[in-house]
Amino acid sequence: DAKTTQPPSMDCAEGRAANLPCNHSTISGNEYVYWYRQIHSQGPQYIIHGLKNNETNEMASLIITEDRKSSTLILPHATLRDTAVYYCIVGLSGNKLVFGAGTILRVKS
Amino acid sequence: NAGVMQNPRHLVRRRGQEARLRCSPMKGHSHVYWYRQLPEEGLKFMVYLQKENIIDESGMPKERFSAEFPKEGPSILRIQQVVRGDSAAYFCASSPQGNRLSYEQYFGPGTRLTVT
C-alpha cells in the first residue's frame, strides 16, 4: 500500500483557506485518497475521499494532481474549531485504515 | 441518525481485572473496526468484524484480547487481566460495507481505559 508524506504542522489564520498537502508518489491506480481529522481526544472524523477527480463536500475540497502523486485538502474558511490533526491515507489496507503521523493544523485568530 | 456509540466513555480498571468495551455501529452498518491509540501515539488498527465473523485480527495482541460482533447487540472488545500498558483510547468505527475499493469508516467517541 502506498505511503504518504505530510508536513508535521501548519498554521492558518482564522477565516483564511487552509491548504494541507500530501505526497503519495507510490499510489496505485485503484487506490483512493482519504482524509480524516482528529480533534483533540475525539474520535477521527471522515472528511472526504477521491480517486482521480477533484471532490468537494460541505466540509472541504480535495484536489488530486493529474499524475495522482500528490493531493491537497482545502478548508475554504478555516475556523478555530478546525484545529486538529489531519491524516491523509491512501488505499484501504485490507479494509483497515493505516494512520500516519498526520499534520497538526493550528488555526489562529 | 445516531452515530457510532461507544460505552463506557471512561473505564478504570485495576491490574488483573477484565475490561469490556462496547460499540454500537451506525444504523445500517454491518462492519465494525477497532483501533487503539496509546498515549502520544498514532491510531493503530486492531480488528475488523462483520456480524458473527472476525475478518481480520492482524492488529490484535496475541494474548488477553478478544473481540466479537454477535448477530444481536453491540460489538465487544474484551481485555482480560489488564496491565498498565493497556491504558489507551479505544475507538470503534463502522461502515456500511467492506471489501470494496472505496468506503468511509465512521468513528465513535472512544473509550478511554485507565489501568491503575
Side-chain angles (χ1 to χ4, degrees):
Chain A
D1 297 297
K3 294 193 187 311
T4 62
T5 303
Q6 298 179 253
S9 65
M10 294 181 63
D11 291 340
C12 177
E14 188 177 21
R16 304 297 291 269
N19 297 288
L20 292 94
C22 179
N23 287 325
H24 31 79
S25 58
T26 60
I27 192 170
S28 63
N30 59 1
E31 288 184 313
Y32 282 71
V33 180
Y34 295 83
W35 284 84
Y36 285 77
R37 73 180 182 184
Q38 187 174 25
I39 297 171
H40 180 64
S41 298
Q42 297 181 20
Q45 179 185 23
Y46 165 79
I47 301 173
I48 199 167
H49 74 285
L51 182 64
K52 294 180 183 178
N53 300 322
N54 298 337
E55 302 287 345
T56 296
N57 62 21
E58 63 278 3
M59 288 183 67
S61 294
L62 174 60
I63 309 298
I64 303 174
T65 58
E66 193 169 341
D67 64 7
R68 304 213 323 121
K69 292 186 177 182
S70 66
S71 60
T72 301
L73 178 75
I74 301 172
L75 307 178
H77 305 287
T79 70
L80 297 177
R81 286 179 292 183
D82 291 321
T83 292
V85 181
Y86 287 77
Y87 299 98
C88 169
I89 300 170
V90 171
L92 292 167
S93 304
N95 297 300
K96 55 182 175 281
L97 293 167
V98 179
F99 289 85
T103 296
I104 299 172
L105 175 68
R106 300 184 190 90
V107 181
K108 299 184 175 182
S109 58
Chain B
N1 260 342
V4 177
M5 299 176 69
Q6 291 187 249
N7 67 80
R9 296 290 306 275
H10 299 274
L11 182 61
V12 179
R13 285 287 178 265
R14 290 200 178 101
R15 279 179 298 171
Q17 291 184 320
E18 178 180 287
R20 280 183 176 243
L21 289 63
R22 295 174 186 77
C23 170
S24 295
M26 286 180 70
K27 187 176 180 180
H29 288 191
S30 58
H31 298 252
V32 165
Y33 315 80
W34 286 92
Y35 293 80
R36 178 168 69 171
Q37 189 167 33
L38 293 167
E40 306 303 322
E41 292 190 18
L43 288 139
K44 303 291 185 192
F45 167 82
M46 299 181 75
V47 62
Y48 162 40
L49 311 101
Q50 295 177 30
K51 285 284 187 181
E52 301 185 280
N53 288 305
I54 295 174
I55 307 303
D56 180 355
E57 55 182 348
S58 58
M60 287 276 271
K62 299 296 181 201
E63 297 176 349
R64 302 186 299 107
F65 285 72
S66 63
E68 63 177 9
F69 189 16
K71 187 176 180 181
E72 301 292 337
S75 175
I76 306 287
L77 180 67
R78 183 182 178 206
I79 311 172
Q80 296 178 289
Q81 299 174 339
V82 296
V83 300
R84 287 217 172 104
D86 297 332
S87 295
Y90 292 83
F91 294 100
C92 168
S94 73
S95 70
Q97 184 177 346
N99 295 318
R100 291 183 294 139
L101 289 174
S102 165
Y103 58 88
E104 309 91 82
Q105 293 183 16
Y106 294 93
F107 284 78
T111 293
R112 273 137 194 91
L113 172 66
T114 301
V115 179
T116 61

